[in-house]
């Protein structure tokens, strides 16, 4: 099976390209949810940003918000 194999009329790479933003969003939501931020308001802002502005919010969280949260252990 190659990457050009058609599934439902589209090549497999097309489905992979569609899934990447979803995976990034789910990762950002779970990462922010299980981290401790300086305030609960900041945590809620990050979660709302990722949920309501999906791809852009996840990318911003990846570069800015990821460093602000500390692991809960």
């Amino acid at each position: 099976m190659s990457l050009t194999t058609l599934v439902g009329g589209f090549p497999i790479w097309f489905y992979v390209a569609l899934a990447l933003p979803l995976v990034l969003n789910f990762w950002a939501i779970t990462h922010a949810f299980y981290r401790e931020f300086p305030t609960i308001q900041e945590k809620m802002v990050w979660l709302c940003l990722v949920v309501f502005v999906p791809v852009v919010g996840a990318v911003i969280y990846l570069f800015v918000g990821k460093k602000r949260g500390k692991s809960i252990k």
Side-chain angles (χ1 to χ4, degrees), residues 3-67:
L3 287 177
T4 59
T5 302
L6 297 179
V7 177
F10 295 101
I12 292 177
W13 63 264
F14 178 76
Y15 294 109
V16 172
L18 286 178
L20 284 176
L22 291 175
V23 170
L24 181 63
N25 272 0
F26 285 127
W27 174 84
I29 290 168
T30 56
H31 191 272
F33 187 78
Y34 290 110
R35 296 290 171 167
E36 187 175 310
F37 287 87
T39 63
I40 191 69
Q41 290 84 5
E42 183 177 350
K43 184 176 195 169
M44 290 298 113
V45 167
W46 284 116
L47 286 170
C48 287
L49 180 69
V50 172
V51 169
F52 294 119
V53 189
V55 176
V56 176
V59 170
I60 292 171
Y61 178 78
L62 179 67
F63 288 110
V64 179
K66 180 181 168 190
K67 298 171 189 158

